[in-house]
Amino acid sequence: MVYENPDGVMVGLEIHVQLNKLATKLFCGCSTDYHTSQPNTHVCPVCMGLPGCLPVLNKRAVEYAIRIGLALNCEIVEQTQFHRKNYYYPDLPKGFQTTQYDYPIVSDGRVVIEGEDGEHVVRIRRAHMEEDPGRLMHMGSIDRSKGTLIDYNRSGMALIEIVSEPDMRSPREARRFLDKLRNILEYLDVFDSTLEGSMRVDANISIGGGDRTEVKNISSHKGAERALLYEIMRQKNIKRRGEEVVMETRHFDEARGVTISMRTKEEEHDYRYFPEPDLVPMRVGSWVDGILETLPELPDARRSRFISDYGMVDTHAKALTSDIRVADFYEEVASKVDPAAAAVWVSDVLKGELNYRDLTIASFNVENMVKIIELVASGKITEKGAVEIIRNILDEGGSPMDIVKEKGLLKVEGDVVDEAVGEVLKENPDALEDYFAGKEKSLNFLVGQVMKKTRGRADARSVREMMLEEIDKNYR
């Protein structure tokens, strides 16, 4: 099925990735470990832009940028340099941002995502290095704030800005692209996505070939999807009124779920770019081969390996490799129990329970997962009992065996189940008549009643077989 894109939606993203796994900032020796510190305590004359202070480039940041470019299938430039981007804003103490302009360090890449109609390629136009500005904290919403506080701890942090082509055709594709990009970056170990400010999004969107708007500084993937959905609705309403969409910069108010006009969209000449006189051009082409050899296994390669090595289906491989922590967790479990069973329990059951509670894989340990799978495989507990154990561990803690004993989850067989089957058939003659009348759902009801009597400790498949045998033997 080919996606028709009825509204002519075109989405391009600019993603600002903070390289927070570095020990120091981009141009000075200030620590990057500021996230739990008091405001304005991780600063120095360089990142505060005081006169006479000269920048010294963090070599590791350049290596990280090249790693990212290679992972995104980009071309690495032979020579690159920094420019000054001139504009005034309170979070920019120097009055300009040190960035890259017409010589970005990487360009012309691609990322494959799950699109609206199957695999879809999103092209990467460029990725360039720059310094992060400070953090503004508005006292209220941005359009109604009574004041603004500024924390310069973030000022000077190394960023790489990844700019896509407008290849995404829906808010959902945009969110999937962001998810895939974050996954790749986490595999590269260049940033920690759980930290504030680690990944911020500017979303450009147009519909029906009209002018685009840019929604700035969206802090979450869900927020990006919501902002784009709102913008599509807003722009469609403008066109219905016979008006034209104005090219402008807008802010997304996450609390209200709306975008707010901030200013008309700037053009490149407004920033008066010129080469940074305090930093010489860099020749980095010779670095590429050495960095390429150090690249780790990336998500798509790991997904293929999981399918070939563990014999799992593609949906399980996608689910398990979409987060490096989940993939590592799975491989530890699979080294101790049947890999196929581990794939089902980790990707289908455990991930679902974690997502429901908004928890990460760190909330569950490998030993408990291994024990639960062993208990199911040995026939000591049912699958329903295993799910109950997982939920109990997440909600209240405890070990699998303690929970089995406390809740009486050991599987019941033989006479206990026979007796429950006989009682259910006697107590539910109407359901039995419905079954004879060809209503298969009534059999499921009867099996469910047996499971209820045994408190989920019987095996449902065995109960079904015993139920059919009992019906054929005594009720035909």
Side-chain angles (χ1 to χ4, degrees):
M1 182 185 72
V2 177
Y3 181 60
E4 299 292 342
N5 195 7
D7 295 317
V9 172
M10 295 178 66
V11 176
L13 300 177
E14 300 170 16
I15 305 100
H16 304 262
V17 178
Q18 191 182 80
L19 304 180
N20 52 32
K21 287 291 186 79
L22 294 169
T24 59
K25 294 183 180 181
L26 185 56
F27 297 119
C28 67
C30 288
S31 168
T32 60
D33 187 20
Y34 68 86
H35 293 84
T36 58
S37 302
Q38 291 296 311
N40 301 308
T41 56
H42 286 245
V43 294
C44 72
V46 174
C47 55
M48 288 298 291
L50 299 185
C53 297
L54 296 176
V56 177
L57 179 61
N58 186 330
K59 181 182 177 183
R60 181 60 62 84
V62 180
E63 293 171 347
Y64 276 16
I66 294 173
R67 283 167 68 86
I68 292 169
L70 292 171
L72 299 181
N73 306 294
C74 292
E75 298 292 328
I76 311 300
V77 73
E78 179 65 31
Q79 179 172 301
T80 185
Q81 70 181 98
F82 285 93
H83 280 69
R84 289 187 179 183
K85 180 180 181 180
N86 297 274
Y87 65 97
Y88 174 75
Y89 210 63
D91 60 5
L92 199 64
K94 294 188 294 189
F96 64 87
Q97 182 184 35
T98 305
T99 182
Q100 293 182 312
Y101 178 47
D102 48 1
Y103 296 99
I105 192 164
V106 299
S107 59
D108 298 326
R110 65 198 296 273
V111 173
V112 180
I113 65 168
E114 191 69 28
E116 296 287 356
D117 49 4
E119 286 195 344
H120 180 69
V121 174
V122 177
R123 292 168 297 158
I124 304 298
R125 179 183 302 168
R126 58 184 281 159
H128 60 267
M129 302 176 65
E130 62 186 23
E131 60 183 340
D132 209 350
R135 181 187 178 200
L136 299 180
M137 291 167 281
H138 302 290
M139 300 167 66
S141 62
I142 191 170
D143 59 333
R144 303 174 185 176
S145 175
K146 297 178 181 179
T148 301
L149 304 174
I150 308 176
D151 180 7
Y152 288 111
N153 281 344
R154 197 170 75 184
S155 181
M157 287 288 289
L159 289 183
I160 185 160
E161 180 177 342
I162 299 166
V163 182
S164 84
E165 297 289 355
D167 291 338
M168 287 151 279
R169 304 161 294 175
S170 69
R172 178 161 46 189
E173 284 190 348
R175 183 171 180 177
R176 287 175 178 170
F177 172 77
L178 291 170
D179 288 342
K180 182 69 174 284
L181 179 62
R182 177 179 60 193
N183 194 23
I184 292 170
L185 296 171
E186 288 183 330
Y187 272 69
L188 291 173
D189 197 31
V190 296
F191 92 132
D192 181 349
S193 65
T194 65
L195 297 177
E196 179 275 326
S198 61
M199 196 170 179
R200 304 189 299 279
V201 180
D202 298 342
N204 294 276
I205 179 169
S206 67
I207 64 171
D211 278 339
R212 64 186 171 90
T213 58
E214 181 181 30
V215 185
K216 297 283 286 185
N217 289 326
I218 307 169
S219 60
S220 70
H221 299 187
K222 183 178 179 181
E225 185 177 26
R226 290 175 60 211
L228 289 168
L229 285 168
Y230 178 84
E231 267 302 293
I232 290 172
M233 178 184 69
R234 189 187 70 85
Q235 293 185 24
K236 286 170 69 174
N237 287 338
I238 290 172
K239 287 179 174 288
R240 286 193 190 102
R241 295 194 297 268
E243 302 170 6
E244 293 297 322
V245 175
V246 177
M247 185 181 293
E248 62 178 338
T249 299
R250 300 180 69 85
H251 167 77
F252 180 57
D253 187 323
E254 296 227 17
R256 292 188 285 164
V258 300
T259 64
I260 302 159
S261 181
M262 295 172 64
R263 57 185 181 270
T264 56
K265 180 71 176 149
E266 295 93 344
E267 301 293 340
E268 286 187 350
H269 63 261
D270 293 323
Y271 293 118
R272 295 170 288 121
Y273 285 97
F274 63 85
E276 169 56 72
D278 294 330
L279 292 167
V280 299
M282 297 180 293
R283 298 187 67 86
V284 296
S286 61
W287 300 16
V288 174
D289 289 342
I291 293 174
L292 184 61
E293 292 177 1
T294 68
L295 286 186
E297 183 181 43
L298 295 171
D300 287 347
R302 198 171 196 182
R303 169 182 158 193
S304 297
R305 179 171 65 81
F306 276 18
I307 293 171
S308 61
D309 288 4
Y310 298 119
M312 66 178 68
V313 297
D314 188 52
T315 52
H316 285 159
K318 283 181 183 177
L320 292 170
T321 57
S322 64
D323 183 324
I324 188 171
R325 292 167 289 268
V326 174
D328 291 344
F329 181 96
Y330 165 74
E331 293 222 80
E332 278 196 68
V333 174
S335 69
K336 300 175 182 177
V337 295
D338 175 41
V344 172
W345 280 100
V346 176
S347 65
D348 291 348
V349 183
L350 181 57
K351 276 195 70 177
E353 296 295 333
L354 291 170
N355 291 341
Y356 177 76
R357 293 164 176 79
D358 199 25
L359 298 173
T360 68
I361 197 71
S363 303
F364 212 86
N365 69 52
V366 169
E367 290 72 24
N368 283 343
M369 193 74 254
V370 168
K371 187 62 179 178
I372 291 167
I373 295 172
E374 288 176 343
L375 288 170
V376 173
S378 64
K380 293 181 179 178
I381 62 172
T382 64
E383 292 180 357
K384 183 177 179 181
V387 173
E388 187 172 345
I389 293 170
I390 291 172
R391 290 173 177 170
N392 201 100
I393 290 172
L394 291 174
D395 294 337
E396 301 174 22
S399 70
M401 286 310 301
D402 288 343
I403 296 167
V404 166
K405 293 173 184 176
E406 179 186 335
K407 294 187 174 291
L409 295 177
L410 287 175
K411 186 190 289 186
V412 293
E413 299 177 314
D415 293 342
V416 175
V417 181
D418 279 336
E419 185 177 335
V421 168
E423 289 176 0
V424 166
L425 288 172
K426 290 178 182 177
E427 293 168 1
N428 296 277
D430 293 341
L432 191 57
E433 287 298 322
D434 288 342
Y435 172 70
F436 288 139
K439 297 179 180 178
E440 280 293 323
K441 288 184 178 180
S442 61
L443 182 61
N444 294 336
F445 168 78
L446 293 168
V447 171
Q449 293 303 301
V450 174
M451 297 302 294
K452 187 175 180 180
K453 278 184 176 290
T454 59
R455 292 185 296 145
R457 295 179 297 152
D459 181 75
R461 295 187 188 88
S462 299
V463 169
R464 186 181 181 87
E465 292 171 3
M466 293 172 68
M467 182 75 69
L468 290 171
E469 288 178 10
E470 182 67 15
I471 290 172
D472 287 341
K473 181 178 178 181
N474 296 316
Y475 289 89
R476 291 287 187 182

